[in-house]
Amino acid sequence: MEALLPVLKSHPGPAVLVCSLLFRVAHQLLQRLPVPTVVRQDAFRSWKWKNLSVSMVHSVLTGTWALTCVVIWPETLSNIHAFHTPLSYLLICVSTGYFVHDAGDIILTGHGRGSWEFLLHHALVIWCFLYALYTQLYIAGALIALFVEVNSVTLHLRLMLKLANAQSSSMYHINKIANLFTYVMFRLGTQFYLTWYIVDNYSQMDRGGYFLVSMMMMNIMMVIYFYRLLRTDFFPRSKRYAGQNGTHNNNSKKFLSD
């Protein structure tokens, strides 16, 4: 790993592209796994299932990786500006590669208009992560930001269960409780910590204004999505609305955006 780090640091762009290609390979391999019949019968659901399968791999990998790095190197939490290790630098390369791959998948498959929120999020993340990789600053901050991927595991599982029309299953009900907990703990908690750090250290930070604006934009997106999550899973409008969402193809995108 020590020998690999100089190569990564001298060529972060190509390293990200290689990682992006590896996620493309994972995308192809995951298509060999069985898919629920209801998913195969709908073009949008079929694409979304494939997309979420790769996202799930990324979330499990990077969420676990980020938490492990912090446990081994606690300084990550307090020295966000300058501290990093070879493993943390590699993690940001891998994760940036995923976001590049996912943005490309959304755009090239013609789902950009319906997924503009994800593209905006990905653009903000890619810019911040690339800045960290090229300047070798804020690697620890990018790593902490990946704590949200712990919640992404339950978020992706939630959507995959909805794709399979399994909202009435016990797994869905268990997952929605786990999803609520991880959303507050790992997504909102992480956003709050990073926002507080930026505000508290603003005068000492390079590009502090950009990072603060980017963080506030993501904070707004997270709060809006949290509201939609609570409304859909815990305060549904009506059974008739839920039934329409689960059965009509024209409402598939609206249904899965909740």
Side-chain angles (χ1 to χ4, degrees), residues 29-236:
L29 294 176
L30 289 168
Q31 292 188 41
R32 300 180 181 182
L33 298 178
V35 177
T37 303
V38 68
V39 173
R40 290 199 308 268
Q41 293 174 344
D42 182 278
F44 176 75
R45 288 175 184 246
S46 180
W47 168 77
K48 191 67 176 177
W49 183 276
K50 296 172 185 176
N51 180 269
L52 284 171
S53 297
V54 180
S55 298
M56 181 68 85
V57 170
H58 169 258
S59 295
V60 172
L61 175 64
T62 59
T64 304
W65 193 337
L67 289 175
T68 302
C69 284
V70 168
V71 170
I72 298 175
W73 297 287
E75 187 181 348
T76 302
L77 294 173
S78 58
N79 189 2
I80 287 178
H81 180 267
F83 181 78
H84 69 272
T85 67
L87 274 177
S88 61
Y89 192 92
L90 178 59
L91 169 59
I92 306 309
C93 285
V94 170
S95 190
T96 309
Y98 160 76
F99 286 112
V100 170
H101 165 269
D102 196 54
D105 183 55
I106 291 172
I107 294 170
L108 295 177
T109 54
H111 295 96
R113 180 176 296 181
S115 304
W116 68 268
E117 297 164 85
F118 295 103
L119 290 177
L120 174 60
H121 170 269
H122 287 10
L124 292 171
V125 172
I126 290 169
W127 198 100
C128 290
F129 281 17
L130 283 177
Y131 179 87
L133 290 173
Y134 274 97
T135 63
Q136 299 172 35
L137 299 173
Y138 307 117
I139 295 294
L143 184 146
I144 293 170
L146 289 173
F147 282 8
V148 302
E149 295 303 327
V150 176
N151 169 246
S152 292
V153 173
T154 54
L155 273 178
H156 297 330
L157 179 58
R158 171 183 178 270
L159 284 177
M160 294 179 86
L161 290 170
K162 291 183 75 173
L163 284 168
N165 283 346
Q167 298 94 310
S168 59
S169 67
S170 58
M171 181 178 290
Y172 186 90
H173 290 289
I174 293 171
N175 183 72
K176 77 177 184 179
I177 301 299
N179 189 39
L180 179 64
F181 173 78
T182 57
Y183 201 104
V184 173
M185 179 67 67
F186 291 100
R187 192 170 292 272
L188 296 182
T190 298
Q191 292 294 124
F192 173 80
Y193 179 76
L194 289 174
T195 302
W196 168 81
Y197 185 92
I198 292 172
V199 172
D200 192 52
N201 297 275
Y202 184 80
S203 61
Q204 306 170 26
M205 294 182 65
D206 301 305
R207 310 288 182 182
Y210 173 79
F211 285 114
L212 182 59
V213 170
S214 299
M215 190 59 62
M216 294 307 297
M217 290 178 66
M218 284 192 273
N219 288 345
I220 293 170
M221 294 171 65
M222 299 298 180
V223 171
I224 292 174
Y225 195 86
F226 188 55
Y227 163 75
R228 288 163 55 185
L229 185 69
L230 291 175
R231 184 196 67 194
T232 304
D233 277 357
F234 297 94
F235 305 101

Side-chain angles (χ1 to χ4, degrees), residues 239-252:
K239 291 184 177 180
R240 180 175 176 272
Y241 175 81
Q244 287 178 340
N245 277 336
T247 57
H248 289 277
N249 181 53
N250 290 337
N251 291 330
S252 291

